[in-house]
Amino acid sequence: MGIALAGDDVAARGLVRRALDLLYLGAGYAAGIFLVAIFAIMMVMSVGRQFAINIPAGDDFASWCMAAMAFLGLAHTFKRGEMIRVGLLLERLHGRTKQIAEVVALGIAAAFVLYFTRHAVQMTYDSWRFNDVAQGVVALPLWIPQLGFAGGLVILSIALIDEMVNVIGGNRPSYEKGSPDETPEEFVERISQGGGG
């Protein structure tokens, strides 16, 4: 009976892990789609001038896509270790001390991001509740473009909590790229080849 329950627990954890990884990857792909949309809008606006083609509120749509791209890409960037981190202190620590410092750093980051997430979600909800619309040429309900901003922060909050649980469990942070015993020369070589820090 106990072995069956342990097997179910491992299967459930594996399922949650795959779902979270798919969430981060999906948010990364969504950010990429918004990047392509920005390119398309800007190209149509630039080339369209030659042919008297105009996108109503094109600047607004490009800026909304830019905000969605920036925030939806945060969790994927963080989990892949491509987000800029200042690890001057953490790089000098080892063992249990490093684990505790990582948990504290992730806890502080999660607290700040959760604070911003709460207010972003509240702002988006208020825009929906009060039927706020854009002031430009196209009267688009503001909650629609705000979804990318709020959604990206929600996913980043989940990623930070996920990573904190991972480190508390004694695992190495997923955003660390180099091996724990990597020499400074190996670090410089990996960075010069685009391996991230």
Side-chain angles (χ1 to χ4, degrees), residues 80-161:
R80 299 270 306 181
E82 302 297 335
M83 190 174 279
I84 296 173
R85 295 182 326 117
V86 180
L88 297 174
L89 175 64
L90 292 176
E91 290 170 1
R92 289 174 170 53
L93 301 176
H94 300 286
R96 183 86 173 132
T97 307
K98 182 173 183 175
Q99 180 188 13
I100 291 169
E102 287 278 1
V103 169
V104 168
L106 287 166
I108 291 169
F112 274 106
V113 171
L114 282 167
Y115 175 80
F116 291 123
T117 300
R118 185 233 179 269
H119 289 286
V121 169
Q122 184 67 51
M123 180 183 70
T124 304
Y125 174 70
D126 287 344
S127 292
W128 172 77
R129 192 166 51 124
F130 298 125
N131 296 315
D132 286 344
V133 294
Q135 299 298 310
V137 176
V138 177
L140 183 74
L142 277 179
W143 65 269
I144 294 173
Q146 289 171 351
L147 281 176
F149 165 59
L153 284 173
V154 167
I155 297 169
L156 179 61
S157 298
I158 292 168
L160 283 163
I161 294 167

Side-chain angles (χ1 to χ4, degrees), residues 33-48 55 62:
I33 290 168
F34 280 109
L35 179 64
V36 171
I38 293 166
F39 171 76
I41 291 168
M42 298 308 290
M43 290 307 294
V44 169
M45 287 176 62
S46 297
V47 175
I55 297 178

Side-chain angles (χ1 to χ4, degrees), residues 154-172:
V154 167
I155 297 169
L156 179 61
S157 298
I158 292 168
L160 283 163
I161 294 167
D162 174 27
E163 198 59 49
M164 191 164 53
V165 169
N166 179 48
V167 175
I168 288 171
N171 300 312
R172 190 165 168 232

